[in-house]
Structure formats: C-alpha cells, structure tokens
DNA sequence: AATTGGTTCAGAT
DNA sequence: TGAACCAATT
C-alpha cells in the first residue's frame, strides 16, 4: 500500500511526536486507516455479516480515537474514500482476490471447526465497505464530528485540505498510515498514531530544506519527489523491474527532470519496460498532482492543483483516468455522506433493501429519544459522559429504552443505535443499569485506558478505590478514581488541586522520584488522570512508580501470580494514592 | 557491494 | 499488516 519502501527511505526525516502537538488545531483523518485497523477486532463478525453488537466494534475503535483527539483539544476532520480511480483498478483487483481467497480458506477452517485458524484468516479477508463507512458516518453526525467523503481518493482530498486555509475547511496535519500522502504533497503527516496519541511525523518543508540529511532532496521540487515515488512503485503503477526507491531517488537526483529519467530508463531497461510505461507514468503523476477533489466551500468538484491547458492537451482532453467528472449535486451529496460514492445510490435505499439496518426501528427510536431528552433536561441529576468540546456543551441526550423484537435485524439495528446515541444521561438510577451499554463512557474510553489484564494488576481490594497504571516509554499514566472522597479533603480545595498537592508532596518525600506531574480533570467527577513522569532509578524505599511502570510493561502475562504481590510491595504508593 | 523482492515473524485488535 | 530478514540479482 502506498509507495513502496518510502517510509523506510524517509526514516531520517521522521520524528516521533505526540498528537497534542496539534492542540487547538484542525487535523485531517484518513478514515480508511482507522476503519481497517478497527475491523481487525471484529473481522469474523464482519465477514460472516453476523447479527451481533460485536460487528460494530470498529466504530468503537474509531470513536475512541476521535475522543482522544478531542481530549487534546484537536478538531478532527474525518475523510472517507470515494469512488475508485481507474488506474488503481489493478491494485484493487489484486487485493479483492487475496481477500476472497483468505475468506474461502477461513470458511473451510470454520467448517472443520478450527475457529482460531479461521479467525486469523478472516483478519486477512476483511474489507472496509461503503456501508461500514456509512455506519460510522451516522455516529460521526450524532457526535458532531466534521467529515467529508472524497469524490475519489481520500488521500487527494486530505492533501487538498492541507493546502487550504483553516477557515475554508483546511487542516494543519493529516493522520494516516498511507505513504501516498507524501507523494500528494501533504505538508504535515502523522503515521502510526497509537491509542495514546504517540506517532511518527514527517514535514515536507523540512525534507526539502534539510542541508545535510542523508537522502538529500535539496535539488528536488514536489514534482520530482512525486516522480521518484511513482518510479519506486505505487498503487497506480508498479515499478520497472529492478527499480526500487533507492534507484528511483538516484535517477531523479541525477537528471532532475522526469522526461529525461524516462528516456534513460527506456534505454537501460528496454527489455523489461512495459510498452506504455511512459504514458502510465504521466497519468500516475497527473493523479498525484491534479486528482479530483471536493471543494467544501464552493461545494463542487475541483482539481487538487489547477490543471494547465497544455497538460489537458497532452491527454487529448480526456481526463477520465482521474475518474469521471461528477455532476455538482451528486458530488455534494456524496461528500455529505448521503450517497454511496461507488454506486451513487442513496444510503437510505440500502437500508430499505434489508441490510444492514432497519430504518423503521431507528426512526421510532429517535422519536422516543426526543421525548426522553426533554424529560432529562428537567433533571438536575443528569451527567455528562464526554470530554469537553463546544459542539456538545448543551446537548445532553438520553438513551432510548429499546424494546427487544424478533425482527431479524433488530439486534443489529439496536447495536448501531447505541453507538449513534452514545452520550447518555438517564439520571442516577439508569446510570447504574447502563454502564456496559455505554460504549464511550469513561473510564472505559479514557485516552489512558489500559487493558483489563494490566488493570487487574493494580486493582485494590476495595473496588471503590483503584489505582491504575498504564505505561509508555517515558511516562507512566496514573489514573485514579474513587466513588467516595476522603474526609480530610478541605472543602475549598478542588479535587484536582488536591491531587496536585499530594503529588508534589510525594515529589519531596520521594526524593525527586517524580520529576513532573500534570493532572487532567475528566468531566466524570469521579475520575481523574495524572500523567506522572518518573525517573529511571529505583530506590528501594520508593519502588512505586518506576516499579509499577516496569510491571505494567513486562508482567502482563504473569498477572495471576504477581498481582497480589504487586499490590503489597507497592503498598506505600497505593496508600498514598488511596488518600486522594 | 548494494539493492531488490520474496519470505518469515511478530504485532495489532 | 508491516518490519525484519535473507537470498538472488545487477
């Protein structure tokens, strides 16, 4: 996927970052990359189109990351792929073949009763469908998350959005897994973002400016860079045999002109070069430069970069390789998520055709919803589940009471419905009844969430008081929540302050074991997170933080035996935290 | 000697 | 799926 070996080649220009670098700014998201990762967790259910809630786990995965971004005050803009560009057809076919081969193998294993082997194969068979995208879109809408469906490649759309002003729908950076974004000329890209917000970023201007860095791009411009990428092999065109990223870079550096590179290549590789390589090459370059994108301000189809007349002529006025033109009404409708970008059919029709949700169930639920919302507003006891962001400030919503039905798809519709209306407030009584049904409820959805097996390591005997530790390279995130707060808490001191005070006390008593403390207050009043940077040295008197960190990282598997012991070994720190 | 391109392994979820 | 590894190729 993407440009072969490009990320490895660009390694010297890649730096590890945390997503909070973009706090307060708009960031574009390549929906496909998260949809695809999320689909792993429920690949069998998706492939078998099973009628269970688990099938929508990919949506929870996605929304968890959206929440992470919002937590760091980032405005996410989700971009979906639209129709396929003709020159990508070969790649698409290839992937489709591999997927269905894996699916058949998986089905065979399933028949044998080998579920493990089957599920492994199903993971290689998952496909992200427009319907899955549409189901996510419905949740994004209900969460007031900005999104756009690209007419064709999401990458091109994201590159365009990176080039326009924030006020006109632009973004400062793009989160993706696809190295194509570099070839499209996207100025700031974040790859491999994990669930804590750590990732690897590349900034194009640094690439072109760098004076000494190893693969040098000093004499490159964006067109040469794109040329190098296409030569190395991309989704639109496989490379000439024997040409990889290193030789592609060498050729472009040497001749500094794509036409010259092509003619040299023709001479040197005349036997192995496909007849129409030059033509395909120019088309591929043209896609990277002038792909069709949607201009959200003008609400119309445009080119990523304006198309010069002479280029149009060189293709005999035929730009169908960019994907056919689409009438204005249709592109807009696609962009806003109302039409399936491949079939151009209304998504509503898909629903009516039986799969995957029953619109009648959904509609009646919405009505019910409204009634309950107005009821909820009259109650003081309602609580907010989500982190702060303006769009939601005053929109407390209630979960409907869903009546089970025998309808074949009702289970599925209900499952999705729950995701569409996740910000639930039903007052204190329902609060007790609903927790597991609330997909995004903290702390389950906390950005510092840790896995159940890690969690069990640090659970206190008293379930009301828990100390959780999750680790990353240099930070340990300590997360404390407690139903009841200690009596000694001064009335005038906020809980947040109290935590900070105690932590700084600890800094002194621990002899600088803790070098930095930040506390983030969650909206759930019983939930706090502290991000505690600990030093490497372990002092026997104060094992706590560093030791917890190490245990969290390495002893996941032996949790049973070490769990209790950890609790007692670290009793001083646990006592310390339980004072909060 | 360097690069490509196929294979294998570990990791994610 | 990607990264790391390794053997074949130029």
């Amino acid at each position: 996927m993407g440009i072969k070996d490009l990320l490895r080649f660009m390694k010297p220009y890649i730096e590890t970052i945390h997503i909070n670098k973009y706090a307060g700014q708009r960031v574009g998201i390549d929906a496909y990359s998260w949809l695809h990762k999320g689909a792993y967790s429920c690949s069998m259910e998706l492939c078998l189109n099973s009628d269970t809630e688990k099938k929508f786990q990919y949506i929870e995965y996605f929304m968890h990351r959206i929440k992470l971004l919002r937590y760091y005050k980032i405005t996410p803009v989700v971009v979906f792929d639209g129709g396929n560009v003709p020159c990508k057809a070969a790649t698409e076919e290839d992937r489709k073949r591999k997927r269905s081969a894996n699916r058949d193998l998986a089905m065979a294993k399933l028949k044998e009763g080998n579920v493990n082997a089957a599920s492994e194969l199903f993971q290689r068979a998952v496909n992200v469908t427009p319907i899955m995208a549409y189901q996510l879109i419905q949740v994004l809408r209900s969460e007031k998350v900005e999104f756009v469906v690209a007419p064709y490649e999401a990458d091109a759309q994201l590159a365009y959005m990176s080039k326009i002003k924030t006020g006109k729908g632009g973004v400062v950076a793009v989160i993706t897994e696809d190295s194509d974004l570099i070839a499209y000329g996207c100025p700031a890209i974040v790859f491999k973002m994990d669930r804590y917000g750590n990732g690897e970023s590349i900034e194009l201007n640094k690439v072109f400016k760098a004076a000494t860095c190893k693969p040098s791009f000093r004499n490159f411009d964006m067109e040469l860079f794109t040329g190098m990428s296409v030569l190395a092999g991309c989704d639109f065109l496989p490379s000439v045999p024997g040409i990889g990223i290193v030789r592609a870079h060498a050729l472009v550096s040497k001749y500094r002109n794509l036409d010259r590179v092509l003619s040299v290549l023709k001479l040197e590789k005349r036997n192995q070069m496909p007849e129409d390589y030059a033509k395909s090459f120019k088309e591929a370059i043209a896609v990277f430069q002038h792909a069709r994108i949607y201009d959200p301000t003008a609400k119309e189809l445009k080119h990523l970069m304006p198309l010069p007349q002479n280029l149009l002529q060189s293709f005999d006025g035929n730009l169908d390789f960019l994907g056919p033109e689409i009438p204005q009404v249709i592109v807009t409708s696609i962009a806003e998520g109302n039409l399936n970008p491949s079939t151009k059919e209304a998504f509503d029709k898909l629903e009516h055709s039986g799969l995957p949700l029953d619109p009648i169930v959904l509609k009646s639920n919405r009505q019910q919803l409204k009634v309950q919302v107005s009821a909820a507003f009259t109650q003081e006891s309602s609580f907010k589940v989500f982190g702060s962001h303006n769009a939601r400030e005053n929109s407390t919503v209630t979960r409907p009471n869903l009546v089970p039905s025998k309808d074949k798809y009702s289970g599925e519709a209900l499952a999705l419905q729950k995701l569409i209306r996740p910000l639930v407030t039903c007052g204190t009584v329902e609060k007790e009844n609903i927790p597991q049904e609330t997909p995004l409820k903290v702390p389950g959805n906390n950005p510092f969430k840790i896995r159940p097996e890690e969690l069990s390591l640090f659970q206190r005997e008293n379930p009301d008081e828990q100390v959780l530790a999750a680790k990353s390279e240099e930070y340990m995130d300590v997360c404390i929540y407690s139903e009841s707060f200690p009596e000694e808490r001064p009335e005038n001191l906020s809980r947040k302050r109290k935590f900070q005070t105690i932590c700084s006390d600890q800094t002194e008593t621990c002899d600088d074991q803790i070098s930095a403390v930040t506390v983030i207050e969650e909206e759930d009043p019983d939930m706090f997170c502290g991000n505690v940077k600990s030093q490497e040295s372990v002092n026997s008197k104060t094992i706590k933080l560093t030791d917890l960190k190490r245990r969290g990282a390495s002893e996941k598997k032996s949790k049973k035996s070490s769990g209790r012991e950890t609790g007692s070994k670290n009793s001083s720190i646990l006592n310390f935290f339980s004072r909060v």
Side-chain angles (χ1 to χ4, degrees), chain A residues 31 39 48 62 135 164 181 188 198 240 287 365 436 439 521 531 542 553:
Chain A
L48 299 173
F62 202 106
Q135 284 165 340
I164 60 179
L181 259 295
N198 302 114
V240 174
V287 175
N365 285 340
Q436 307 97 317
E521 191 166 9
N531 190 331
T542 51

Side-chain angles (χ1 to χ4, degrees), chain A residues 1 30-33 35 79-84 88 92 128 130 133 148-156 178 334 341-342:
Chain A
M1 194 176 183
D30 179 8
Y32 180 89
S33 53
L35 275 172
V79 179
F80 293 88
D81 278 290
N84 289 327
K88 209 175 173 177
E92 292 289 335
V128 175
V148 59
V149 181
Y152 293 103
E153 295 270 283
D155 300 341
D178 191 344
I334 288 173
S342 300

Side-chain angles (χ1 to χ4, degrees), chain A residues 123-144:
Chain A
Q123 292 190 341
R124 284 150 221 267
V126 263
N127 187 21
V128 175
T129 64
I131 293 165
M132 286 166 69
Y134 178 62
Q135 284 165 340
L136 175 61
I137 283 174
Q138 293 175 81
V139 179
L140 293 176
R141 278 189 185 132
S142 78
E143 288 302 315
K144 307 265 193 301

Side-chain angles (χ1 to χ4, degrees), chain A residues 79 126 351 368 466 498 580:
Chain A
V79 179
V126 263
E351 290 172 15
Q368 211 175 352
Q466 296 183 37
K498 177 73 179 171
V580 179

Side-chain angles (χ1 to χ4, degrees), chain A residues 216 219-221 223-225 227-228 231 243 246-269 281:
Chain A
S216 170
N219 300 310
F220 275 53
D221 56 17
E223 180 172 62
L224 292 178
F225 194 101
M228 173 192 79
L231 285 168
I243 303 290
V246 177
R247 289 205 232 273
H249 175 259
L251 283 166
V252 174
S253 302
K254 186 169 176 189
Y255 299 104
R256 290 184 215 161
N257 171 306
L258 296 183
D259 283 317
R260 256 181 290 176
V261 172
L262 279 179
S263 36
V264 170
L265 220 46
K266 206 168 205 169
L267 287 172
E268 288 183 1
K269 303 255 171 187
F281 180 84

Side-chain angles (χ1 to χ4, degrees), chain A residues 116-127:
Chain A
N116 282 340
S119 84
E120 208 162 290
L121 287 161
F122 276 128
Q123 292 190 341
R124 284 150 221 267
V126 263
N127 187 21

